Amino acid sequence: MKKTNLTGHRLLKILVFAVITPTIISCSQFTKETKQANGKTPEFKGKIALDIRDSKADWSAYTPKSAPKGSPNILFVLYDDTGLGAWSPYGGSIKMPTLEKLAENGLTYTQWHTTALCSPTRSTLQTGRNHHLNGMAAITETADGFPGANGRMSARVTPLAKILQDNGYSTFWIGKNHNVPEQDVASGGSKKQWPLQMGWDRFYGFIGGETNQWYPDLIEDNHFIEAPATPEEGYHLSKDLADHALEMIRDQQATNPSKPWYLWFNPGANHAPHHAPKEYIAKYKGQFDQGYDVYREWITQRMIEKGILPEGTVNTPMNPMRADMAAPIDNVRPWDSLNADEKKLFARMAEVYAGFSEYTDVQVGRIVDYLEESGQLDNTLIMYAADNGASGEGTPNGSVNENKFFNGYPDELSENMKYLEVLGGPETYEHFPTGWASAFSAPFKMFKRYSQYAGGTNDPLIISWPKGIKAKGEVRQQYHHSVDIVPTLLELIGLEMPKVYNGVEQEPLSGVSMAYTFDAKPTDPTRKEVQYFAMLGSRGIWKDGWKAAAIHAPLSGKGHFDQDDWELYHVDVDRSESKDLAKEHPEKLQELIAAWFVEAEKNNVLPLDDRSAAEIIAIERPSQEPARDRYVYYPNTAPVPEGVAVNVRGRSYKILANVELTDNASGVIFAHGSRFGGHSLFIKNNKLYYVYNFLGIKPEQVFESSINLAAGKYTVGMEFIREKTGENGESVGRTKLYINQELVAEGSMKTQPAKFTLSGDGLCIAYDSGDAVSELYPSPSKFSGGTIDLVGVTVEGTPYRDLEAEAKRVMMSQ
C-alpha cells in the first residue's frame, strides 16, 4: 500500500503541476520522476502536457534499431567432421557442386583452424571467444565444475546473434546445436542455453551431437516435434533442413524484406551416422577401392597442384603417434593388411560418406539458387566450413551399427557384410574406420579430437560475397581460427561487440578480423599473432608461423603434463608439420611453451584433463531433478530424451500400465529406443507383447501373452529380474509378462549395458516416435481402441554401470 500511495502521490503531483502551470512539463522533469520510480524508463525526448493536443510524441526510444545501411545477409554453412582432403574445391574426390561455385566466385582458405571438436568450435563461432572462455572445454556431455569446462556459456560472452538481433537482423539457426547441457535437453528443462534464448529468432534442428538422418530427433523453436515424413516418402534430414531454411527466409522476406538476416545452417553431415540416398552413394561406386593409403598420397599431391599446399609439402605417417602414447582405437590398419571382405566393406563406407556429403551440398545449393533467383545473392556473405577434422570415432574396423561399439559389444565382420548393399540406408547406423579419417585429413597427422596437430584443426573454409569481394577463385594462405569469424562479421557490418551488455562486463573478443584478407594477396602475412589449442589433454600453440605440440593423446589418462615432451614445427615452411625442430631450436620451443601457459591463464584452460572417458562420464553434475526409483509417464507427451528418462540399464525394473480397452485395441503402450537398440510394450492381435531389441541383433527378444485381451480395464506390464553380468557387460536375467496378476509369458533375457540410442530417440507413451523399436510393428503405431491412464516404471537397487561403455557412447558421438 505504501508503494501504491507513493506512486499515486507522484502522479497527482505531476497532474496538479500541469493544471496550475499551463506550460508543458519538460522532458527532463518527467524523465527524472519516472526514472526515480522504476529506474528503467528510456529517455523521452518529446513533450508531455495535460492534454495530448498540447503534447508531442517521441518514438525514438521505442523503435527497433535498423541494421547499418547496406548490411549483408549472412549464410554460414557448417559441416561436421571434414578434413582438408575431402572436398573437390580442395582437390578431394567428394564432389561439392555448390561449394565449387562459391569457390569460383570467392576465396578458398587453406589455414583456417578450429578447436578439434564440435561443441567447442560451435561456441567460438557463436561468441568470438576461445572455447574455454565459453565454458566449453570439450563437448557438453563432459562438463566439469571449472570455469573453462562447465558446459554453459555465461552472460560474459554474449553471442553474436544477440548483437545482430538488437541491431536489426533476423536470426535463424537450422540443424545441429550441441551447445546445450545434456540435462537441459528436456521439455521441462531449463531453456536458458537453447537457441531462442541465445539470440536466435527461430530454430529448427536437433540439440544433441548427432541424430539419425532418416528418423531424426527434431526440435522446432522450444519444443520437440516429429519428422514431417518418412524415408519411404522421400524424407532425409538434409532436405528437410533446407526446406525449413527456405521457409524462414521466404517468410521474413514476405514481411520485412528490408531487414538483413543471419542464417546458420548446420546439417548433420558429415557426422555419423552416415546416411544418404542410394543414387548419391552409387555415384561413388569403385572410387575408393584402392584404399585410404593410396588416397592419402594422391590427395596431398592434388592439393599441391591446386595451390592449396605449397610445393614440397610432405605427407605424414598414417600412424604418427608414439607407441607409448597412441590410443588403440585411433590406430589405422594398413590397407594391404585387410582381407577382401574388409576392403570391400571399408571402400563402401567411404562411398556412403561421400554420397552423404554431396547430397547435403546439393540441398545447400537449393538455398543459394533461391537467393540468386530472388535477387539476394549479390549482398549475401556466404561462409562454408567444417567444425573439426574427419572423425576417427569409427575405430580401426568401422561399424554398420555404432551402438554395438558404444555398448562394448563385438562387431563381427560376417554380420556387417550382410548390410553391405544397404549401407547408408535406414537399416544401418554407419561410421567408417580410422583409415578414412586419416585420408580425408591429409596431409596432416591424426584427426578430430587431436588439437595439437592440424589433422584435428585445419579445416575447409570458403567465403563468397559478390558485392563485397572483388577477388574470384583465389586462394588465401593466411593463418586464422574459428574465433576470428565473429570479429570479421562485426567489422563487415559496422558493429562492435559491447564492453558491457545488459549490465554485465564482457570478455574481450579472442579473435581478429579476417576482412583484410578479402583484398590481400594470397601469401600476404596474417594479422593473427597467436592461437592456443587444448582438447581432452592434448594441447599446442601457434605463434608467428611456428607451432609447438605436446606429445599427449586425448583421453589417455596418463596425466603428468609437466613431463610432456613437446615438438616444434615451422608451419610457414612445413605446412604438414612433418619435421620436428625441437632439438634444432630449443629457445623457440621454450618461447612457445611459455606462450601457451600465458594463453592458458588468460582463457581459463587449466586444469588440463586427459582422464579416460569413463572417468569423465562418472562425474556428478548438478541437475534440477533428483534421482528417483519411480517414474510416472502419461500418454501423448513429447518423447523424453534418454539423458533424463528412467535409466533401466544394469538393473532390475518393472513397467506397469493402467489401461482401459475396447474391442480390438492395438498399438504401443511404452517404447524407448530404435531398431538399433530399445524396448517396447504393445498390443497386437489382441495379445500383449514386450520386446527387448538388443543392439538390433536378430532375432528380437519377444515375450507374447498366452491369452487374449478382451474389452475392459487392466493393469498390464512386465518385470525384469537381473541375475548377473554377461561377458560383454550386458545384464542377464529373467523377464515376466503380466496381465493384471496373471503371469502370461516368461523367459530369459539380456539387456544393453549402455544407452539405447546414439541420437536420443526418446521414451514415448502411446506411440513410438521415429524408428520403431520392433519389427513387429511400424512407426509410430499410435495406441488406439481404448485409453492409457498412466505408465509407471520402477527401478530398484544400485545399477551396475559399465562406465567404459557409457563413455564410448558419449565421446564417440561428438
Side-chain angles (χ1 to χ4, degrees):
M1 290 298 293
K2 289 182 178 179
K3 184 175 182 181
T4 303
N5 289 338
L6 178 60
T7 303
H9 172 72
R10 285 181 172 167
L11 179 59
L12 179 61
K13 180 179 178 181
I14 293 170
L15 293 175
V16 169
F17 183 79
V19 171
I20 296 174
T21 309
T23 55
I24 297 169
I25 301 172
S26 72
C27 170
S28 60
Q29 286 175 303
F30 180 77
T31 302
K32 182 178 180 181
E33 289 289 340
T34 51
K35 278 189 175 181
Q36 287 174 347
N38 57 38
K40 295 182 180 179
T41 302
E43 183 179 358
F44 180 75
K45 298 179 180 178
K47 301 175 183 179
I48 296 179
L50 179 64
D51 191 327
I52 194 170
R53 295 165 186 80
D54 300 319
S55 304
K56 183 179 180 181
D58 172 29
W59 287 101
S60 62
Y62 313 108
T63 304
K65 283 186 179 180
S66 295
K69 188 176 181 179
S71 294
N73 301 316
I74 304 164
L75 170 60
F76 196 119
V77 180
L78 185 67
Y79 270 60
D80 271 85
D81 300 358
T82 306
L84 210 62
W87 287 341
S88 52
Y90 287 84
S93 285
I94 301 176
K95 297 296 181 183
M96 303 288 283
T98 303
L99 190 58
E100 287 176 11
K101 291 179 183 178
L102 295 174
E104 290 168 3
N105 288 288
L107 301 172
T108 298
Y109 288 79
T110 67
Q111 291 200 84
W112 185 74
H113 293 74
T114 61
T115 70
L117 210 56
C118 167
S119 301
T121 294
R122 288 163 196 272
S123 79
T124 66
L125 293 169
Q126 281 208 70
T127 73
R129 283 85 167 187
N130 282 314
H131 55 301
H132 290 89
L133 290 178
N134 298 325
M136 296 285 175
I139 57 173
T140 54
E141 293 87 346
T142 64
D144 207 343
F146 293 94
N150 57 69
R152 295 179 184 273
M153 288 187 278
S154 76
R156 291 178 57 82
V157 291
T158 296
L160 171 68
K162 285 191 176 184
I163 306 304
L164 295 182
Q165 197 177 55
D166 291 347
N167 286 276
Y169 267 77
S170 297
T171 54
F172 311 125
W173 188 331
I174 292 285
K176 176 174 173 176
N177 172 276
H178 210 193
N179 277 149
V180 174
E182 186 179 31
Q183 59 269 35
D184 290 354
V185 185
S187 293
S190 170
K191 298 294 190 294
K192 289 184 178 180
Q193 299 283 313
W194 283 45
L196 265 60
Q197 282 66 36
M198 301 297 283
W200 301 91
D201 296 334
R202 296 294 311 278
F203 175 77
Y204 183 87
F206 57 101
I207 293 290
E210 71 180 48
T211 195
N212 190 315
Q213 299 294 301
W214 302 111
Y215 297 98
D217 298 292
L218 288 173
I219 288 173
E220 185 169 23
D221 296 331
N222 271 349
H223 62 280
F224 293 87
I225 63 168
E226 290 297 299
T230 66
E232 294 75 20
E233 297 168 326
Y235 183 86
H236 187 284
L237 180 60
S238 293
K239 181 179 182 298
D240 187 24
L241 295 178
D243 288 345
H244 278 80
L246 289 167
E247 177 185 310
M248 289 182 188
I249 298 174
R250 285 171 175 152
D251 286 350
Q252 189 257 19
Q253 289 292 293
T255 61
N256 295 82
S258 64
K259 286 182 68 174
W261 45 261
Y262 178 23
L263 170 63
W264 198 8
F265 190 84
N266 297 263
N270 283 325
H271 200 291
H274 299 154
H275 285 150
K278 292 179 180 179
E279 62 270 24
Y280 277 84
I281 299 172
K283 295 174 72 170
Y284 291 91
K285 186 174 178 60
Q287 292 195 27
F288 300 100
D289 286 354
Q290 289 184 297
Y292 35 68
D293 304 67
V294 171
Y295 183 92
R296 185 172 168 85
E297 296 296 331
W298 172 81
I299 185 55
T300 298
Q301 186 57 40
R302 284 268 294 171
M303 285 194 281
I304 293 172
E305 293 169 1
K306 287 180 68 69
I308 303 299
L309 297 173
E311 286 286 346
T313 299
V314 177
N315 215 357
T316 55
M318 294 194 79
N319 285 308
M321 291 295 288
R322 214 169 62 192
D324 62 329
M325 292 302 301
I329 63 169
D330 289 339
N331 285 335
V332 174
R333 297 176 62 194
W335 189 260
D336 60 11
S337 71
L338 307 177
N339 64 39
D341 280 349
E342 289 171 327
K343 289 179 179 178
K344 187 181 297 184
L345 179 67
F346 292 4
R348 180 69 168 177
M349 288 176 167
E351 293 168 13
V352 172
Y353 177 83
F356 185 20
S357 192
E358 181 180 345
Y359 175 72
T360 302
D361 179 78
V362 170
Q363 304 312 310
V364 176
R366 294 171 53 215
I367 302 173
V368 175
D369 288 346
Y370 163 71
L371 297 179
E372 186 169 17
E373 293 163 6
S374 60
Q376 298 180 73
L377 184 61
D378 189 55
N379 197 29
T380 297
L381 172 64
I382 302 177
M383 294 182 166
Y384 202 132
D387 66 358
N388 45 244
S391 171
E393 277 86 41
T395 79
N397 297 316
S399 180
V400 302
N401 177 7
E402 279 190 300
N403 212 10
K404 290 182 182 179
F405 171 72
F406 301 144
N407 275 267
Y409 204 83
D411 202 345
E412 296 181 4
L413 178 63
S414 59
E415 179 70 17
N416 290 347
M417 289 299 292
K418 296 176 184 178
Y419 293 91
L420 182 67
E421 298 304 318
V422 295
L423 274 180
E427 303 88 347
T428 64
Y429 205 101
E430 183 225 321
H431 195 307
F432 60 38
T434 50
W436 289 117
S438 177
F440 291 132
S441 295
F444 309 117
K445 298 176 183 177
M446 302 312 292
F447 29 71
K448 178 180 175 181
R449 287 180 286 117
Y450 285 81
S451 70
Q452 70 271 57
Y453 297 126
T457 66
N458 199 164
D459 292 297
L461 170 66
I462 286 173
I463 302 179
S464 172
W465 183 19
K467 182 178 179 180
I469 299 177
K470 295 179 181 179
K472 309 295 180 186
E474 295 186 6
V475 171
R476 292 292 181 266
Q477 304 282 3
Q478 289 82 15
Y479 192 104
H480 279 285
H481 188 271
S482 56
V483 294
D484 300 330
I485 295 297
V486 168
T488 303
L489 295 177
L490 287 172
E491 179 182 343
L492 295 175
I493 297 167
L495 298 174
E496 293 184 358
M497 184 64 68
K499 295 181 179 179
V500 177
Y501 188 81
N502 284 347
V504 179
E505 186 177 348
Q506 298 293 292
E507 294 283 357
L509 292 175
S510 302
V512 300
S513 173
M514 300 168 59
Y516 74 94
T517 65
F518 294 177
D519 298 321
K521 295 179 181 178
T523 56
D524 280 355
T526 181
R527 293 183 183 176
K528 194 171 186 67
E529 296 178 355
V530 63
Q531 181 61 52
Y532 82 90
F533 297 91
M535 185 60 59
L536 302 170
S538 66
R539 55 180 168 152
I541 187 167
W542 174 93
K543 186 175 184 290
D544 298 329
W546 290 79
K547 174 91 168 281
I551 307 175
H552 206 115
L555 301 170
S556 62
K558 294 182 180 297
H560 303 294
F561 296 101
D562 57 329
Q563 299 176 21
D564 280 352
D565 290 330
W566 289 73
E567 299 166 337
L568 178 67
Y569 301 104
H570 193 186
V571 178
D572 276 355
V573 297
D574 177 19
R575 186 70 61 79
S576 63
E577 302 168 5
S578 64
K579 186 177 181 181
D580 179 12
L581 301 176
K583 293 182 179 179
E584 287 88 336
H585 300 281
E587 72 293 337
K588 175 61 73 172
L589 178 61
Q590 291 306 313
E591 174 193 334
L592 265 64
I593 294 174
W596 186 90
F597 278 98
V598 170
E599 294 301 304
E601 179 67 24
K602 285 168 51 179
N603 290 280
N604 298 331
V605 176
L606 301 179
L608 293 175
D609 188 358
D610 73 340
R611 288 175 296 176
S612 71
E615 290 179 276
I616 295 175
I617 298 308
I619 295 170
E620 290 292 332
R621 297 179 179 87
S623 175
Q624 292 178 313
E625 285 297 316
R628 58 191 192 273
D629 293 334
R630 298 183 180 184
Y631 294 73
V632 177
Y633 298 107
Y634 297 93
N636 300 314
T637 56
V640 180
E642 188 158 8
V644 294
V646 58
N647 177 6
V648 301
R649 301 186 297 277
R651 66 203 313 178
S652 299
Y653 61 92
K654 299 175 185 177
I655 303 173
L656 298 173
N658 289 337
V659 299
E660 183 172 0
L661 309 179
T662 60
D663 291 332
N664 299 315
S666 66
V668 170
I669 298 171
F670 169 100
H672 190 186
S674 71
R675 79 171 73 202
F676 303 108
H679 61 151
S680 180
L681 183 71
F682 59 96
I683 296 173
K684 180 180 180 180
N685 298 328
N686 297 316
K687 294 286 184 75
L688 178 67
Y689 285 82
Y690 175 73
V691 168
Y692 195 103
N693 180 343
F694 186 89
L695 294 169
I697 298 172
K698 302 294 190 298
E700 297 174 345
Q701 299 174 100
V702 179
F703 300 86
E704 176 186 347
S705 67
S706 57
I707 62 173
N708 288 347
L709 285 162
K713 292 184 177 182
Y714 298 92
T715 297
V716 298
M718 56 76 59
E719 177 182 20
F720 173 68
I721 304 168
R722 184 180 185 277
E723 297 172 346
K724 62 180 181 179
T725 301
E727 61 179 299
N728 293 301
E730 69 274 22
S731 292
V732 179
R734 292 192 69 75
T735 288
K736 298 179 179 181
L737 190 65
Y738 291 95
I739 298 178
N740 291 331
Q741 301 297 317
E742 185 175 354
L743 180 64
V744 294
E746 181 179 12
S748 61
M749 193 178 84
K750 59 183 179 181
T751 66
Q752 296 178 193
K755 290 188 177 183
F756 290 125
T757 65
L758 306 171
S759 55
D761 204 344
L763 183 155
C764 304
I765 304 299
Y767 69 104
D768 187 350
S769 71
D771 201 7
V773 168
S774 174
E775 61 186 3
L776 295 179
Y777 63 81
S779 175
S781 289
K782 294 182 178 180
F783 186 79
S784 63
T787 58
I788 300 171
D789 181 21
L790 57 83
V791 178
V793 185
T794 302
V795 288
E796 298 175 350
T798 303
Y800 166 81
R801 293 184 67 192
D802 186 337
L803 293 179
E804 287 293 344
E806 290 276 314
K808 287 175 183 176
R809 185 204 69 84
V810 171
M811 296 310 302
M812 303 309 177
S813 62
Q814 306 156 31

